[in-house]
Amino acid sequence: MKTILIADIYGKTPALLSLAKSLSGEFELLDPYGGEMLNFADEAHAYEYFIEHQGIEHYATSIEHYLRNITEPVSIVAFSVGAAALWQVSNALSSGQIKSTYCFYGSQIRHYPTLTPTIPMTLIFPKMEAHFSVPALIEQLATTTNVTIEQSVYLHGFMNECSVNFDPKGMQHYLSFIQSRAEN
């Protein structure tokens, strides 16, 4: 089954392509910059660029348009703002071709806690966030239909080599987590 990766504010990077190749099978990459590989000095520059040139609403619309046109079964792996953008449109998507989603540290999900996805979603939150209580959000989302939640022991960005919070052990753990579910 094909995997669609939805990038964070860094967009397409060598690190994300490497992560994608660690997953079995074909993959496609959706990113906020139309496939252009940008090289940000740090997270603050990436965030500023994303807000100025894209924004979460536009990114969500792009993701929805793309996913409405898929014709084969897919699994989705989304990161940070990509996870939050997917969450924003998750109640408007057909569950037919989307077999699973794994959304890593989508902190902006907190702004839309009442959405009910029509697709199966596994939300993987970091152990903490500076701007809100992760346990409170998890509690708020706990009974949401089609949603499974896990709180990791890692920090926001642990799957991204570009992040100061990158954790190779955490990344490997969750790559195995995804692979084990793909085999079932």
Side-chain angles (χ1 to χ4, degrees), residues 66-77:
Y66 181 85
L67 294 177
R68 283 184 180 273
N69 293 305
I70 58 174
T71 58
E72 62 187 300
V74 298
S75 177
I76 300 172
V77 180

Side-chain angles (χ1 to χ4, degrees), residues 39-110:
N39 190 16
F40 298 108
D42 55 36
E43 188 171 343
H45 286 97
Y47 181 77
E48 182 179 311
Y49 189 90
F50 176 80
I51 294 302
E52 185 177 319
H53 292 91
Q54 180 68 242
I56 194 166
E57 302 297 331
H58 187 263
Y59 196 23
T61 300
S62 302
I63 291 167
E64 180 181 11
H65 177 74
Y66 181 85
L67 294 177
R68 283 184 180 273
N69 293 305
I70 58 174
T71 58
E72 62 187 300
V74 298
S75 177
I76 300 172
V77 180
F79 303 97
S80 194
V81 73
L86 176 61
W87 176 263
Q88 282 188 21
V89 299
S90 66
N91 63 343
L93 297 170
S94 167
S95 63
Q97 298 296 0
I98 300 171
K99 302 305 180 189
S100 60
T101 62
Y102 302 94
C103 295
F104 289 90
Y105 36 85
S107 63
Q108 298 294 321
I109 289 171
R110 74 185 186 275

Side-chain angles (χ1 to χ4, degrees), residues 3 5 19 22-24 75-79 101-105 122-127 138 148-160 165-182:
T3 300
L5 283 93
L19 183 147
S22 297
L23 298 168
S24 63
S75 177
I76 300 172
V77 180
F79 303 97
T101 62
Y102 302 94
C103 295
F104 289 90
Y105 36 85
T122 300
L123 306 178
I124 299 141
F125 288 106
K127 74 176 178 180
I138 289 172
T148 303
I149 302 170
E150 179 165 325
Q151 185 174 9
S152 77
V153 297
Y154 305 102
L155 297 173
H156 188 118
F158 71 86
M159 296 286 285
N160 186 345
N165 293 326
F166 173 63
D167 190 304
K169 188 174 169 183
M171 182 177 76
Q172 192 53 55
H173 171 79
Y174 280 100
L175 287 173
S176 296
F177 176 87
I178 292 167
Q179 292 296 110
S180 69
R181 279 152 181 76

